[in-house]
Amino acid sequence: MRRRIQIVFFLLFGGLFAFGVLGGIGSTALGWNVTTADRTQPVATENGWLVDGLTTDVVINHDDSLRVTETINVDFANLQKHGIYRDIPIVYDYDAHYFRVLEISDLQVSDNGSPADVATSQRGGVYELKIGNANQLVSGKQNYQIAYTVRGALNSFPDHVELYWNATGNQWAVPIQQAAANVHYPSGSAQHAACFEGYIGSTTPCQSAAGADSSVFTATQPLNPGAGLTVVVGLSPAAVATPSPILQHKPRSLPEMFPFDLPDLLGFAVVLGAGIGLLGWFWWRHARDHEYRTAYYTNHDPAAPDDTAPLFSHRPVVPEFEPPDGLRPGELGVILDETADTKDVTATIIDLAARGFLRIRELPDQGLFGRSDHQLEMTPNIDPTPLKPFERVIYDGLFQGGQRPAVKLSDLRGTFADTLNGAEDALYKDVLAQKWFASDPRTARLLWLLGGIVVIIAGGLLAVVLGATAGLGLIGVALVIVGGLAAVFHNRMIARTAAGHELLYRTLGFRMYMTTAERYMAQFAEKEKIFTAGLPYAIVFGCCDKWAHAFAGVIDVAAAAGGWYVGATAINATDFSRNLEGFSSTVSSTIAFVPAATGGSGFSGGGFSGGGMGGGGGGSW
């Protein structure tokens, strides 16, 4: 059982870890990793080379797309470089809920007139081009040309369509000696033109000349690292198809993911109600005990008609003065709590001793701080064949199939776990063979617990996805609650058959007798046998003290023990019971022990250098 619990917890924490990983993957897939490019961050300058000239040609197409061609002449002087990199911002802040995104396609890059090696990547809100060959170094003057198509860059206003474009970018690591931009548009469509040069926020105008189908803009002086050239062109609305920005939803905040508005609350209520209803329906139909329609004692027919037991039945418990049908303590322990556990195995060991299959010898304390120990001794010349399978597993595990005649309890620590698991397995097979349960209680509990964990994880993922995409995260929370209820109440999903239900009440009757045995003492002549035979059952029922108190001063403990328990000192009935309880506790902790195994517009005063679309910068590598 402990091994199964370890497996369950491994799956639980493994599931939670997977949930964390999948949540991160999901957030990336939903765009949670998208951030705007920070155009105000300091520029990391480079020395020893410069950009001789940077000319940007922008063609405004009728379909509102742009064809951008950047011609970049650099001088590496005596430096040995592989090439340059060019960063183009493609994600911009739009409003409280959306990012504005540029779509770049049809990329063409040349190096001194020949197709160039280029690696592309997206880092946050920046589209990065790395131009050059990692196995080849260049120096001196180099010419690079970058051409690409852009969608989503034009701005639409009631009286004009506007291109607001950062032609050079303000993040270059070296000076730009000459900077220029040429904007081409449908003939006669231009209404306004302006340009700005300098550091971000500068309103210093550059030189500009507007023509019928193009405008030319030129910086008036070299641009230092961090300075750039930005152009603005306004066209008549009919010049191009009405542009619309490409928007991407920003990650929702927690209040936005779980807004507690009517649709979210309604979905939460429906899913939670349906989930709880489904759990309740299954419990009502499949997880309640059955009972015979007629009194069992009138027919003793296990195949007699039965039905589910009434929900609020108050069937009286009638005392039984001996174990029902002569069943062993371990079997009654399983029928009581629906679990084969260490206590049932411990009671079985004591039962084997009381029936003469082994002897328990209490050993004296060793040393000043020595712990008491017990020795289990195999009774000579006794045939273990009549033992039930689960008893035989325990017996053979203690004495290694008869290979060792005695074993100290302390020697079993850390070595008995496999036998314990085997005995519990055999106990479950025993109760299933006798058809006391509708299904294996252990398997049913494990499936319900794992099912609950799976639903919790699925609900958590659904809460993230629905919350991020639609603001309906409470629906996933409802599933988490349903899964939690399934996991918490997994022990309640076990059903006894009618035969098992009948045996349960008879077992309760036997336990009633044992806890009140004192009132029945006068009815029994062979009290010694009753006392020792009942001790293993008292271990299962947890009433050793009451059982011993009923016989205190009535029997001779030494005679009652019959030689199967040998104490270190003379004891009375109460001492004997107390010692046996201590032995039971020690056995339970000993046999269950397992050793430890060895992340805006550009006009009307709103324009400036570094504003608008485009921009970015570059450097060498």
Side-chain angles (χ1 to χ4, degrees):
M1 179 58 68
R2 172 169 293 190
R3 182 172 299 171
R4 296 188 188 94
I5 293 175
Q6 290 172 338
I7 292 173
V8 169
F9 276 99
F10 172 80
L11 292 175
L12 172 60
F13 288 111
L16 292 176
F17 174 76
F19 170 61
V21 172
L22 290 175
I25 295 174
S27 68
T28 300
L30 293 168
W32 286 24
N33 66 324
V34 175
T35 56
T36 58
D38 185 0
R39 302 195 225 181
T40 63
Q41 64 183 355
V43 177
T45 60
E46 298 180 19
N47 297 316
W49 70 283
L50 52 77
V51 177
D52 277 334
L54 195 162
T55 301
T56 300
D57 286 276
V58 181
V59 178
I60 302 176
N61 299 314
H62 182 72
D63 64 356
D64 86 357
S65 67
L66 307 178
R67 184 63 181 176
V68 180
T69 303
E70 299 176 357
T71 301
I72 305 171
N73 295 308
V74 304
D75 186 356
F76 291 133
N78 296 323
L79 298 180
Q80 297 289 308
K81 298 287 185 176
H82 296 286
I84 65 170
Y85 62 85
R86 174 75 170 100
D87 292 340
I88 305 172
I90 58 173
V91 180
Y92 305 82
D93 201 35
Y94 185 73
D95 61 18
H97 301 290
Y98 292 95
F99 291 123
R100 182 171 180 176
V101 180
L102 301 185
E103 291 183 352
I104 292 182
S105 60
D106 301 328
L107 176 68
Q108 294 178 327
V109 181
S110 65
D111 178 358
N112 295 320
S114 301
D117 295 320
V118 58
T120 63
S121 62
Q122 182 173 341
R123 177 173 45 84
V126 175
Y127 184 67
E128 183 176 85
L129 310 179
K130 191 174 183 181
I131 306 170
N133 190 325
N135 299 316
Q136 181 179 344
L137 294 172
V138 297
S139 62
K141 295 182 180 294
Q142 303 293 322
N143 172 268
Y144 300 97
Q145 191 173 77
I146 305 170
Y148 51 93
T149 298
V150 181
R151 292 188 178 276
L154 294 179
N155 300 315
S156 179
F157 296 92
D159 60 343
H160 71 281
V161 173
E162 180 180 299
L163 171 68
Y164 185 16
W165 190 258
N166 189 335
T168 60
N170 291 69
Q171 296 293 316
W172 279 94
V174 294
I176 302 174
Q177 296 297 98
Q178 296 180 339
N182 305 311
V183 179
H184 307 268
Y185 38 78
S187 180
S189 62
Q191 294 182 345
H192 312 281
C195 69
F196 311 93
E197 65 180 61
Y199 297 103
I200 292 176
S202 170
T203 57
T204 302
C206 68
Q207 294 180 350
S208 63
D213 57 3
S214 65
S215 294
V216 178
F217 307 92
T218 307
T220 62
Q221 58 186 342
L223 302 176
N224 292 323
L229 177 70
T230 297
V231 302
V232 186
V233 175
L235 307 178
S236 61
V240 297
T242 303
S244 58
I246 301 171
L247 302 180
Q248 183 172 7
H249 207 295
K250 290 181 178 179
R252 285 181 167 86
S253 64
L254 281 178
E256 291 173 325
M257 292 177 65
F258 307 97
F260 289 90
D261 55 14
L262 183 59
D264 209 26
L265 291 173
L266 183 60
F268 173 81
V270 170
V271 173
L272 181 62
I276 294 177
L278 185 62
L279 290 177
W281 173 85
F282 187 93
W283 175 82
W284 183 264
R285 293 294 303 271
H286 303 288
R288 287 193 298 153
D289 283 5
H290 280 230
E291 68 176 8
Y292 292 115
R293 296 178 184 174
T294 58
Y296 179 73
Y297 62 82
T298 62
N299 49 41
H300 294 276
D301 180 10
D306 61 60
D307 204 347
T308 52
L311 186 58
F312 299 107
S313 61
H314 297 284
R315 176 179 171 181
V317 176
V318 180
E320 296 245 352
F321 298 104
E322 58 184 20
D325 300 330
L327 294 172
R328 308 318 316 164
E331 294 171 311
L332 298 190
V334 177
I335 203 65
L336 268 179
D337 58 16
E338 303 166 342
T339 303
D341 52 24
T342 306
K343 179 180 63 177
D344 301 323
V345 175
T346 299
T348 299
I349 293 175
I350 297 174
D351 186 47
L352 291 174
R355 288 155 56 195
F357 287 92
L358 58 90
R359 178 186 292 109
I360 303 171
R361 184 182 299 277
E362 184 181 352
L363 301 178
D365 297 349
Q366 299 294 324
L368 182 61
F369 300 103
R371 293 183 177 181
S372 62
D373 201 355
H374 294 80
Q375 181 167 281
L376 307 181
E377 301 171 354
M378 184 173 58
T379 303
N381 303 320
I382 190 167
D383 183 11
T385 302
L387 295 178
K388 294 187 175 184
F390 72 92
E391 295 176 315
R392 187 62 185 266
V393 170
I394 297 171
Y395 185 85
D396 289 343
L398 291 173
F399 303 114
Q400 295 183 345
Q403 296 302 309
R404 62 180 177 192
V407 60
K408 289 183 180 180
L409 196 56
S410 57
D411 293 336
L412 296 177
R413 185 175 177 83
T415 65
F416 202 74
D418 289 340
T419 299
L420 176 63
N421 291 329
E424 292 173 354
D425 289 342
L427 256 175
Y428 280 118
K429 291 177 182 179
D430 179 83
V431 299
L432 285 174
Q434 301 191 67
K435 298 181 179 179
W436 294 339
F437 292 94
S439 61
D440 188 337
R442 170 188 49 186
T443 302
R445 274 191 297 268
L446 187 61
L447 289 177
W448 274 98
L449 180 59
L450 292 178
I453 293 172
V454 168
V455 173
I456 289 173
I457 295 173
L461 287 173
L462 192 62
V464 171
V465 173
L466 290 181
T469 58
L472 297 173
L474 283 181
I475 293 178
V477 174
L479 273 182
V480 171
I481 295 174
V482 172
L485 290 173
V488 169
F489 293 105
H490 69 282
N491 282 323
R492 299 297 183 92
M493 297 301 183
I494 312 300
R496 298 178 185 85
T497 62
H501 185 75
E502 184 68 28
L503 178 59
L504 170 65
Y505 271 86
R506 296 182 64 194
T507 301
L508 292 174
F510 184 49
R511 185 177 68 177
M512 174 186 288
Y513 152 66
M514 294 198 68
T515 57
T516 57
E518 194 171 6
R519 72 175 67 173
Y520 302 106
M521 282 300 99
Q523 302 177 28
F524 302 101
E526 297 181 327
K527 299 181 179 64
E528 291 83 358
K529 292 183 179 181
I530 294 174
F531 173 71
T532 55
L535 276 172
Y537 299 93
I539 295 294
V540 169
F541 297 149
C543 61
C544 261
D545 283 341
K546 291 183 179 181
W547 184 248
H549 184 72
F551 291 86
V554 178
I555 64 170
D556 180 350
V557 172
W564 63 266
Y565 187 96
V566 181
T569 60
I571 52 176
N572 55 35
T574 303
D575 292 334
F576 181 39
S577 174
R578 186 178 298 114
N579 288 354
L580 205 58
E581 272 196 315
F583 168 76
S584 173
S585 176
T586 303
V587 170
S588 296
S589 62
T590 299
I591 64 178
F593 176 79
V594 178
T598 21
S601 168
F603 297 110
S604 304
F608 57 86
S609 175
M613 300 294 162
S620 66
W621 67 288

